[in-house]
Amino acid sequence: MTAEITLFVNPTAGRGRGAHAAQPAAAALRSAGFSVRSVVGTDAADALARLRRAVREGTGAVIAVGGDGMVSLALQAVAGTLVPLGVVAVGTGNDFARELGLPVADPAAAGRLAAAALKGSAIREVDLGRVAGRWYGTVLCSGFDSRVNDRGNRMRLPAGRFKYDLAILAELAAFRPFPYRITLDDGPVIETEATLVAVGNGSSYGGGMRICAGARTDDGLFDVTVVGACSRTTLLRVFPRVYRGTHLSHPKVTVHRAAKVTLEAAGITAYADGEPLGPLPVTAECVPGAVRVLTGQ
């Protein structure tokens, strides 16, 4: 079997690991008999335009090399098409890859899995979220966590993860719950005060924070986690439990399931797959089987 495979590469992912990761992944694919070409844009818009061209021209598969941001960009080109998506996860979060049981920080293994999946037709259809024509694979977040992202994105220093640690401290100092209007499917509007609302197609964001721990990517529904109004002390006590998913049992946390979710709140930005979508209100729809993924399962 021969086909041309497109490596969609973020050279800056994982503090420079993206460029190096493409090489062993490409070698594994070539060893399996595939022709490989790389797409690297000058910026996100250019990279996406190049990838869309490759999809239109009939590439056999797209392999995103990077983190969740690169996967999210690739989804904009392959969702709703027959072109399958593979992932070489070498970013800082890698929540999409973990959700699907794909190798993390092992480019050669990820390349071998993608090759085996293509040869054995081990391709799985998974759901995606869609907001105003934009696709996402993991979690849409809003509220306290998105305010932290807003603040971190405004900070020029320090660099790296420490910037977001400082942003968390700053947001805690100004912490208050937000008045939300939430509509699930076509039901009545729920008016409530909430610390955050997360709409999960997948279970985790932020590198393993299992905010929507029960979410599945193949059931046609979102898990909607609402952390209600709580004190700063309660938030600090509950927050560490997110990494294990045990926060869902806390009395301030409720979970809903719906195929369509509308969120309204003043002064809140929505983020999905770690990327800003824009200010609320937003409506997210779960689209069953929206993308074909190379999983080897």
Side-chain angles (χ1 to χ4, degrees):
M1 176 181 179
T2 59
E4 184 175 79
I5 306 303
T6 301
L7 284 186
F8 188 46
V9 183
N10 180 0
T12 64
R15 300 180 182 177
R17 290 194 298 271
H20 297 293
Q23 299 170 13
L29 287 160
R30 289 189 179 108
S31 294
F34 294 96
S35 171
V36 179
R37 68 166 172 169
S38 295
V39 168
V40 183
T42 56
D43 55 26
D46 179 59
L48 180 55
R50 291 170 184 261
L51 184 62
R52 282 179 166 151
R53 188 179 310 122
V55 170
R56 287 196 304 270
E57 292 172 353
T59 186
V62 169
I63 312 292
V65 184
D68 287 323
M70 202 60 174
V71 171
S72 181
L73 199 58
L75 289 175
Q76 311 315 310
V78 300
T81 77
L82 295 177
V83 176
L85 175 68
V87 180
V88 177
V90 290
T92 53
N94 304 314
D95 289 287
F96 188 80
R98 288 193 178 93
E99 189 72 37
L100 299 175
L102 302 177
V104 172
D106 191 340
R112 290 192 299 269
L113 183 146
L118 284 166
K119 286 195 166 188
S121 298
I123 299 173
R124 176 182 167 195
E125 292 187 349
V126 300
D127 308 340
L128 294 177
R130 183 168 58 190
V131 178
R134 182 171 179 85
W135 302 94
Y136 75 92
T138 56
V139 177
L140 181 156
C141 70
S142 70
F144 177 78
D145 43 6
S146 66
R147 291 293 286 267
V148 169
N149 271 326
D150 286 342
R151 185 179 289 270
N153 291 340
R154 292 194 301 267
M155 296 167 62
R156 299 186 65 183
L157 293 172
R161 184 73 192 182
F162 188 52
K163 175 171 66 175
Y164 290 93
D165 293 338
L166 290 180
I168 288 172
L169 292 175
E171 284 301 319
L172 278 172
F175 173 72
R176 72 185 193 284
F178 309 100
Y180 271 88
R181 289 167 54 88
I182 304 169
T183 307
L184 305 173
D185 294 323
D186 295 315
V189 173
I190 301 169
E191 297 195 23
T192 186
E193 287 205 331
T195 300
L196 66 88
V197 180
V199 182
N201 179 59
S203 62
S204 69
Y205 65 173
M209 299 169 62
R210 303 186 67 229
I211 188 69
C212 299
R216 294 180 53 178
T217 58
D218 60 0
D219 62 358
L221 295 171
F222 293 126
D223 275 32
V224 184
T225 300
V226 180
V227 179
C230 60
S231 67
R232 192 178 294 113
T233 301
T234 299
L235 180 59
L236 285 169
R237 191 163 55 242
V238 173
F239 188 78
R241 295 171 57 179
V242 173
Y243 286 95
R244 301 186 303 276
T246 57
H247 64 293
L248 298 183
S249 64
H250 193 278
K252 289 291 186 180
V253 178
T254 56
V255 177
H256 309 274
R257 307 192 79 221
K260 183 171 74 171
V261 181
T262 298
L263 303 179
E264 302 172 77
I268 299 295
T269 303
Y271 285 74
D273 291 340
E275 304 296 318
L277 291 177
L280 300 187
V282 298
T283 296
E285 296 181 82
C286 185
V287 181
V291 67
R292 306 171 77 228
V293 181
L294 303 175
T295 65
Q297 300 173 5

